[in-house]
Amino acid sequence: MRLLFWYCDRFAWHPSLKTLDHAPEAVPESHEQTVVAFIHVEPLDVVVGNSVETKLVKNTKWLARKWETRKIVLHSFTHLGEQKADHEAAKGLIDRVQKRLEAAGYIAVQTPYGYFNDLSMDAPGHPLARIYKEF
């Protein structure tokens, strides 16, 4: 798994191009003071017993605590590596992460899966506003 975390004062999306025929209709959204996780799921990440799901949850919660926010946006971003997990397995992993974050008291949302989205970001110039992780 490869992750690019951003802390954003404002993060917004507008669905622009549907890439999966069965993706549900999507609407624009905007969120403030949020940690945004750009998530690249690789084939080995979805193997039963792999710990990347837990690592993603822990790293996301750690960064949210550093910024004193309970808001998290999960964004599937398959542009951080060569190998990509099957889209259904990747979506399942992201769904599980969202549920785990919500169970821990966070407000977690996902950008529309199966779409290219126009993105708008306002991020502060701070070392903890941009973090790359690979597990």
Side-chain angles (χ1 to χ4, degrees):
M1 177 171 288
R2 297 166 193 250
L3 301 165
L4 180 59
F5 287 109
W6 287 78
Y7 172 78
C8 294
D9 292 324
R10 182 178 170 278
F11 182 82
W13 65 83
H14 188 280
S16 61
L17 177 65
K18 192 174 196 175
T19 59
L20 293 175
D21 291 335
H22 64 280
E25 290 304 310
V27 297
E29 286 189 32
S30 178
H31 297 271
E32 295 185 2
Q33 285 120 19
T34 186
V35 167
V36 182
F38 285 70
I39 305 166
H40 177 99
V41 182
E42 296 174 320
L44 290 177
D45 298 338
V46 294
V47 173
V48 174
N50 196 325
S51 63
V52 297
E53 180 181 319
T54 296
K55 288 178 183 177
L56 172 54
V57 170
K58 286 183 178 183
N59 278 266
T60 306
K61 288 167 51 176
W62 173 84
L63 189 56
R65 282 192 304 272
K66 290 291 184 187
W67 284 100
E68 298 179 355
T69 185
R70 304 299 285 174
K71 300 174 190 174
I72 296 167
V73 175
L74 303 171
H75 177 61
S76 175
F77 190 72
T78 60
H79 308 287
L80 295 174
E82 295 289 321
Q83 297 183 1
K84 301 172 188 173
D86 170 77
H87 65 85
E88 289 179 14
K91 174 70 166 122
L93 186 148
I94 295 169
D95 287 345
R96 291 189 304 276
V97 167
Q98 180 180 3
K99 287 178 184 169
R100 289 177 65 175
L101 290 167
E102 290 170 343
Y106 291 86
I107 300 164
V109 299
Q110 292 183 49
T111 58
Y113 194 88
Y115 284 85
F116 279 110
N117 298 286
D118 295 331
L119 301 177
S120 175
M121 301 170 53
D122 292 321
H126 186 283
L128 287 179
R130 298 154 184 85
I131 296 175
Y132 176 77
K133 287 291 205 185
E134 187 174 340
F135 354 100

